[in-house]
Amino acid sequence: MNDQTPTSVERAEKLEGIGCKRKRVEDIRFVQGKGNYVDDLKLPGMLYGDFTRSPHAHARVKKIDTTKAAALPGVVAVLTAETLKTVNLAWMPTLAGDVQMVLADGKVLFQNQEVAFVIAEDRYTASDAVDLVEVEYEALPVNVDPLKAMEPNAPVIREDIKDKTDGAHGKRKHYNHIFNWQAGDKDATDAAFKKAEVTIKEMIVYPRVHPCPLETCQCVASFDKIKGELTLWGTFQAPHVIRTVGSLISKIPEHKIHVIAPDIGGGFGNKVGAYSGYICAIVASIVTGRPVKWVEDRIENLTTTAFARDFHMMTEIAATKDGKVTGLRCYTVADHGAFDACANATKWPAGLFSIITGSYDFPTAHVSVDGVYTNKAPGGVAYRCSFRVTEAAYAIERAMDILATKLNMDPAELRMKNLIRKEQFPYTSAFGWEYDSGDYHPALQKAMDAVGYKKLREEQKKKQEAFKRGETRELMGVGVAFFTEIVGAGPSRACDILGIAMFDSAEIRIHPTGTGICRLGTKSQGQGHETTYAQIIATELGLPADNIAIEEGNTDTAPYGLGTYGSRSTPVSGAATAMACRKIKAKAQMIAAYMLEVHDDDLEWDVDRFRVKGNPERFKTMTELAWASYNKVPPGMEPGLEAVNYYDPPNFTFPFGAYICILDVDVDTGETKIRRFYALDDCGTRINPMVIEGQIHGGLTEAFAIAMGQEIHYDENGNVTTASLLDYFLPTAVETPKWETDWTTTPSPHHPIGAKGVGESPNVGGVPCFANAVNDAFKFLGSTHIAMPHDHWRTWMAADKLGLHG
Ligand code: CDP
């Protein structure tokens, strides 16, 4: 080796592998406006579809007359439920084991429900014709309150299953009841409450919100009558699931369906499910023999495609006088809207909600969830979180703060006292989840030190005294949240979708010149997969990340996978990528041994090459081995260098974080000014710190939006009063606070590279942190719980209720 020979460290740096702040390769096209989204697609002869929607939240559909719409020049066809019945597609199965109307069949059950689908030569004609469809409605009583859904005289939402006593998840108690799901030990928990020294009980409501991706849901369907093949381009977070479900629904053989998800402008759970727009576009293409495009507008997106949350959680904690938690109990009513189209793993009607014991060592706990029907849009997706995890995190983090107030303890001190200790990992929670790894106390301490927690509390005390003396009208709040996520759905023993185990996949092919391609079953919607998967391969195979192309979203070329949501890409497909690399590396090692005329065991790996142990001058680089794999393999070995891995994770991963928010509330205007927001995340091995930071910034911005303003609100007649971005809070750079990010690193012991998911964490931890901060500002005045969202008006109302306006 001479002085010019790069060292191992220098060679490793050049690869831009795990740990490198590699610039996002996809941004080259995104920042130049050169992305390729569904609505960029223009096919010869393409038609456009648009929906006539119901103005009523609940009404009988007495008559639909499409004559005038069909007569408008440029209109090619109009579909109604009657048309769809001829192909048996008036209703479609949901992911949750229910059925859902594709177009209104006899009744409408929520405002803006799809009633007719107009297909025209251009978008504008379709839109005009939508208004010419004449529908005669007879209004019915409306219920949008889930707590009233099971009252004896509540309006019957689903007449089609009124008398069915069995649902997809067991017995139904009422005609508006969907399921009851329970977990934990009820008797032991009740006993813990009986002998508790201190208890708290609070109705904690996580309102209905809606993921708000910049790009709405859309598709182009093109049916080739000659080949009997369907090509469907769409905004799909899970393209293979769409193909399988599409085949089951349409009876088109699966190999004749080609699903392609091009660039996607944000998903956040909104683009997991199957919507009427997809079915109607497909049927329209079959009927007309031409490609058909369907693109939602913003109002349609906010009011009809999958909502999130709407969990009404009566949460109780039992504890000792000195603040040790002894039990947790939670009874939840989950509002699933008019159809149960919740996107969860099949066996989990309330998702992973039983992560509700959070980061604390609860000896016993019990949850019971009742799902109910109301006159609201269906859905129930994990809006930037794992299935129902952010609901659980909000409930436990608010409840811990309420307990701290009752005990007159500092909320951080109460958390320190109850956090699961390092030596307890792997830790089995009262609900049976095995938390893979964690080191919670140093994380919270680091967060507290970073913000100067003690000093903040002193300052707050002084401000409270000044407020009482009438010297200021501002209240200071310090919000603390410590969360544990459960991501990486999932182990097949726990998770499947319609019977398909929730594994994921990676297929890697190395070309002769040492470059390659990796195809995966996941699908990026802005998370930077093209950048980060290549980094895993760079480190595993010793090939520069720049030499690896990443491809997702085409079901013809990608190996089968369950898609991207709930931070599952890194825990599952990231693991599959590493495992596929290891198969390739094992073959490369045999080729190296053959070329160097040594035994396999005499070789050791060094960054980008196999070298002879004790003789490092004799080596073969991975690039040389790639070339050799196409012309110099040992006798009897297949040529080529490729591998596929379908990874069924042995467990979920459990990222965690400690967040602190400092804010000031003006009690006369309700305005809240975020002074600081500090977020410490631990996602195990960090693949790309810059991408992680971007994920945290984005997730915190969404958490800020949810906590401080977002709500899909219905009036008592079922009208959505927040149907556009005029009323639905989407923060811009002006309102968004400045984020301070930090980290600790506690690798996952079961993941091949020790990585846990991260994309959802900031939403899971951020929402309760903001909420705790607002509540913290008011609690010295006797307030127990102010519900989200904390917009100016509601905050002003909270101040008013406390008598602060004279
Ligand atoms: O499934 P999804 O892509 O939404 O979430 P994720 O697995 O948390 O990954 C989000 C992005 O963060 C991806 O580009 C990951 O590669 C990256 N990431 C990382 O760099 N290190 C981690 N430990 C986890 C995620």
Side-chain angles (χ1 to χ4, degrees):
M1 194 158 76
N2 62 41
D3 288 348
Q4 260 73 55
T5 312
T7 63
S8 298
V9 174
E10 285 164 348
R11 279 188 279 120
E13 268 172 16
K14 279 219 166 97
L15 299 176
E16 297 199 299
I18 294 172
C20 171
K21 290 185 181 175
R22 183 175 187 229
K23 282 191 183 158
R24 287 176 24 131
V25 293
E26 44 272 84
D27 287 352
I28 295 166
R29 66 176 188 278
F30 292 155
V31 298
Q32 296 183 64
K34 300 285 183 201
N36 179 30
Y37 298 89
V38 173
D39 205 17
D40 292 325
L41 195 68
K42 290 182 182 66
L43 297 181
M46 191 166 74
L47 300 169
Y48 296 81
D50 199 356
F51 283 109
T52 301
R53 294 178 179 274
S54 167
H56 294 272
H58 199 192
R60 215 163 287 293
V61 178
K62 300 187 78 176
K63 195 173 154 205
I64 303 176
D65 187 348
T66 60
T67 325
K68 283 188 190 154
L72 188 74
V75 171
V76 178
V78 184
L79 306 182
T80 63
E82 294 311 312
T83 339
L84 296 183
K85 277 180 191 169
T86 62
V87 280
N88 212 13
L89 283 174
W91 291 68
M92 62 177 170
T94 70
L95 289 177
D98 197 358
V99 286
Q100 176 178 351
M101 289 176 198
V102 175
L103 290 173
D105 185 14
K107 249 180 58 152
V108 285
L109 306 182
F110 62 93
Q111 191 180 48
N112 282 354
Q113 186 177 335
E114 300 80 3
V115 176
F117 191 67
V118 177
I119 305 122
E121 295 287 349
D122 64 79
R123 204 170 267 186
Y124 307 99
T125 308
S127 178
D128 288 346
V130 155
D131 298 333
L132 297 177
V133 175
E134 293 174 326
V135 189
E136 206 181 303
Y137 295 100
E138 177 192 318
L140 293 168
V142 170
N143 179 36
V144 289
D145 183 349
L147 301 182
K148 292 189 179 149
M150 289 200 283
E151 285 181 356
N153 296 320
V156 182
I157 312 291
R158 293 288 298 279
E159 284 169 17
D160 58 308
I161 53 167
K162 182 173 178 290
D163 300 319
K164 250 180 105 185
T165 50
D166 289 304
H169 305 284
K171 290 275 169 226
R172 299 170 69 218
K173 306 190 246 194
H174 182 278
Y175 49 76
N176 288 332
H177 186 231
I178 308 172
F179 64 85
N180 176 261
W181 177 79
Q182 300 195 23
D185 188 333
K186 184 170 183 333
D187 293 343
T189 306
D190 289 347
F193 273 84
K194 261 200 190 121
K195 62 173 193 225
E197 291 169 354
V198 183
T199 61
I200 62 111
K201 181 174 184 174
E202 188 65 44
M203 176 52 111
I204 296 173
V205 178
Y206 201 135
R208 177 173 274 237
V209 289
H210 196 282
C212 202
L214 288 184
E215 179 200 35
T216 58
C217 297
Q218 37 201 273
C219 74
V220 176
S222 180
F223 187 73
D224 181 329
K225 276 196 175 141
I226 309 297
K227 291 187 188 160
E229 293 191 10
L230 171 71
T231 306
L232 187 65
W233 292 263
T235 46
F236 306 132
Q237 290 182 233
H240 281 102
V241 179
I242 293 286
R243 187 184 71 186
T244 304
V245 173
S247 173
L248 293 172
I249 296 176
S250 68
K251 307 282 182 277
I252 300 170
E254 199 168 357
H255 69 292
K256 295 199 170 194
I257 300 181
H258 315 283
V259 176
I260 300 164
D263 286 330
I264 297 184
F268 316 118
N270 185 225
K271 293 166 178 170
V272 172
Y275 298 125
S276 296
Y278 307 159
I279 308 284
C280 287
I282 293 169
V283 174
S285 179
I286 294 171
V287 169
T288 62
R290 291 164 65 178
V292 176
K293 182 183 274 190
W294 167 71
V295 175
E296 271 183 335
D297 66 24
R298 181 60 60 191
I299 292 176
E300 291 174 303
N301 180 262
L302 283 175
T303 60
T304 67
T305 47
F307 76 92
R309 328 296 196 235
D310 220 339
F311 256 39
H312 303 248
M313 306 171 281
M314 184 60 84
T315 313
E316 297 173 78
I317 296 181
T320 62
K321 272 192 298 222
D322 61 352
K324 197 91 188 99
V325 294
T326 54
L328 179 138
R329 201 157 55 185
C330 181
Y331 171 66
T332 293
V333 176
D335 185 342
H336 284 214
F339 306 96
D340 186 13
C342 219
N344 276 324
T346 308
K347 285 182 216 133
W348 303 94
L352 306 172
F353 186 61
S354 55
I355 194 70
I356 188 169
T357 48
S359 318
Y360 311 107
D361 189 13
F362 278 91
T364 182
H366 180 253
V367 294
S368 171
V369 181
D370 276 318
V372 296
Y373 292 121
T374 62
N375 291 116
K376 296 181 184 171
V381 292
Y383 170 6
R384 205 168 185 146
C385 68
S386 202
F387 314 117
R388 300 296 189 186
V389 173
T390 188
E391 289 90 329
Y394 178 57
I396 183 64
E397 287 306 295
R398 277 300 304 130
M400 286 299 275
D401 260 31
I402 293 166
L403 177 65
T405 308
K406 181 146 188 186
L407 292 166
N408 205 17
M409 264 176 97
D410 180 89
E413 187 194 339
L414 178 71
R415 285 176 171 79
M416 279 292 191
K417 190 158 199 152
N418 289 287
L419 286 174
I420 300 159
R421 295 186 314 281
K422 186 181 181 186
E423 61 275 15
Q424 289 177 280
F425 289 94
Y427 170 82
T428 305
S429 79
F431 290 109
W433 297 115
E434 191 187 290
Y435 293 20
D436 56 351
S437 63
D439 195 359
Y440 293 173
H441 290 86
L444 182 52
Q445 193 58 54
K446 193 174 182 191
M448 290 166 71
D449 293 345
V451 297
Y453 188 76
K454 207 164 154 256
K455 279 223 167 76
L456 286 171
R457 288 294 179 200
E458 285 162 11
E459 182 191 343
Q460 186 186 34
K461 191 124 201 79
K462 279 194 196 132
K463 288 226 152 142
Q464 288 168 349
E465 279 153 16
F467 185 88
K468 281 187 195 155
R469 289 195 299 270
E471 291 164 15
T472 174
R473 298 293 286 162
E474 261 191 4
L475 301 178
M476 175 180 168
V478 181
V480 180
F482 198 103
F483 67 93
T484 297
E485 258 264 68
I486 166 170
V487 297
S492 61
R493 65 188 146 78
C495 299
D496 71 86
I497 288 187
L498 301 174
I500 304 163
M502 291 189 76
F503 59 85
D504 226 293
S505 56
E507 185 189 275
I508 304 174
R509 184 171 304 158
I510 302 300
H511 309 316
T513 51
T515 66
I517 183 163
C518 174
R519 297 186 166 108
L520 304 109
T522 48
K523 174 65 204 168
S524 189
Q525 309 119 43
Q527 294 94 326
H529 288 183
E530 287 169 49
T531 308
T532 51
Y533 282 130
Q535 291 183 251
I536 298 176
I537 298 170
T539 295
E540 288 285 334
L541 289 185
L543 294 169
D546 272 348
N547 286 3
I548 308 294
I550 300 295
E551 196 184 279
E552 298 174 300
N554 185 336
T555 54
D556 281 348
T557 51
Y560 203 99
L562 277 285
T564 289
Y565 41 86
S567 280
R568 66 185 298 279
S569 302
T570 303
V572 193
S573 268
T577 306
M579 297 307 277
C581 284
R582 288 172 197 184
K583 287 187 193 174
I584 287 175
K585 208 163 148 186
K587 182 170 179 182
Q589 183 167 2
M590 287 194 269
I591 299 170
Y594 174 67
M595 291 171 77
L596 292 164
E597 296 179 338
V598 294
H599 192 274
D600 298 3
D601 293 345
D602 293 332
L603 294 176
E604 61 186 5
W605 179 249
D606 173 39
V607 181
D608 56 357
R609 61 195 60 186
F610 282 104
R611 64 185 183 198
V612 177
K613 285 179 193 165
N615 190 359
E617 302 296 309
R618 294 196 65 221
F619 61 84
K620 290 289 168 195
T621 66
M622 202 64 187
T623 308
E624 290 171 310
L625 293 168
W627 185 260
S629 73
Y630 286 85
N631 63 19
K632 228 181 263 157
V633 292
M637 181 186 272
E638 276 179 47
L641 204 52
E642 60 185 77
V644 58
N645 184 270
Y646 290 87
Y647 190 79
D648 181 5
N651 191 3
F652 292 89
T653 65
F654 295 77
F656 59 92
Y659 291 3
I660 298 180
C661 171
I662 302 124
L663 51 74
D664 299 289
V665 183
D666 182 325
V667 297
D668 293 324
T669 61
E671 193 191 353
T672 301
K673 285 182 223 126
I674 312 294
R675 235 197 264 180
R676 270 183 93 171
F677 196 104
Y678 169 93
L680 177 146
D681 275 273
D682 191 317
C683 58
T685 303
R686 291 151 53 86
I687 301 163
N688 184 326
M690 190 162 65
V691 168
I692 291 174
E693 200 179 359
Q695 292 287 299
I696 308 275
H697 283 196
L700 287 176
T701 305
E702 281 180 317
F704 171 68
I706 293 169
M708 308 309 278
Q710 288 191 342
E711 182 184 9
I712 296 292
H713 180 264
Y714 291 80
D715 70 14
E716 68 278 10
N717 296 317
N719 298 306
V720 187
T721 61
T722 52
S724 81
L725 296 184
L726 285 175
D727 314 291
Y728 190 71
F729 179 45
L730 196 70
T732 66
V734 176
E735 299 91 5
T736 303
K738 189 175 172 316
W739 310 116
E740 296 170 50
T741 58
D742 205 344
W743 71 94
T744 53
T745 302
T746 314
S748 167
H750 64 76
H751 187 280
I753 59 165
K756 304 179 178 185
V758 76
E760 330 292 4
S761 293
N763 200 320
V764 172
V767 171
C769 190
F770 282 113
N772 280 349
V774 174
N775 275 281
D776 186 70
F778 284 100
K779 73 183 182 195
F780 80 107
L781 297 166
S783 163
T784 309
H785 176 63
I786 302 165
M788 280 198 300
H790 301 289
D791 53 43
H792 295 185
W793 179 72
R794 284 181 179 83
T795 309
W796 187 90
M797 289 294 285
D800 201 56
K801 265 195 197 149
L802 291 166
L804 298 181
H805 299 143

